[in-house]
Amino acid sequence: EAGVAQSPRYKIIEKRQSVAFWCNPISGHATLYWYQQILGQGPKLLIQFQNNGVVDDSQLPKDRFSAERLKGVDSTLKIQPAKLEDSAVYLCASSISGGAKNIQYFGAGTRLSVL
Amino acid sequence: AQKVTQAQTEISVVEKEDVTLDCVYETRDTTYYLFWYKQPPSGELVFLIRRNSFDEQNEISGRYSWNFQKSTSSFNFTITASQVVDSAVYFCALSEATGGFKTIFGAGTRLFVKA
């Protein structure tokens, strides 16, 4: 069974530029998550989708971050414009459904460096 | 409010030593789930175990064991006879059954196992 796919693995941009990350979850998983992991910290949820609807985006900086999951499968996370503090690893995860007990399966992440 | 504390930032042991990683959590819910994930250098978080709040039985899986104590709000993880391949960052996480099922991760404990 294929795991969660993310691309690119690494991205270096200058501040005020825009960047996009892509995620393809495990086939059949209804719930998709985007996390931000700053160096030395645990992952922080940015947005959670159930199929193509948003369940939780309370911690997404909506003035610069946006995400979509148009067909309920793969998803794109965008940052525009990027700030220095956005340097982090962006992790995508998926689970069969969105309940509290569900195990999340993670991709390898995209490491973003903003210069 | 949810909170997960992993007080140990880094632990270094010599191969074959036993090591315990501590996790203390806070929640007002009576129904919740606790998780441990491993993050190897490759970056993706790998699920290790899930426990629900009504099941305080300790669990052993090979060299891994988990001790869940509601009285102290702790869910500690022990690796017996550690191996170099156990070197990774380990995250404890909490997910409540109410409030949108958001998962909160601790800051992680980096484990170094030296040969």
Side-chain angles (χ1 to χ4, degrees), chain B residues 13-16 83-84 87 112-115:
Chain B
V13 299
V14 177
E15 211 171 18
K16 297 182 184 173
Q83 299 177 1
V84 172
S87 297
F112 294 98
V113 182
K114 297 178 285 188

Side-chain angles (χ1 to χ4, degrees), chain A residues 9 37 42 98 100-101 104 107, chain B residues 37 39 44 50 91 101 103:
Chain A
R9 286 298 313 274
Q37 185 179 17
K101 69 178 182 179
Q104 296 180 37
Chain B
Y37 286 86
Q39 187 175 39
E44 75 279 16
R50 173 186 62 198
F91 291 96
F101 314 131
T103 302

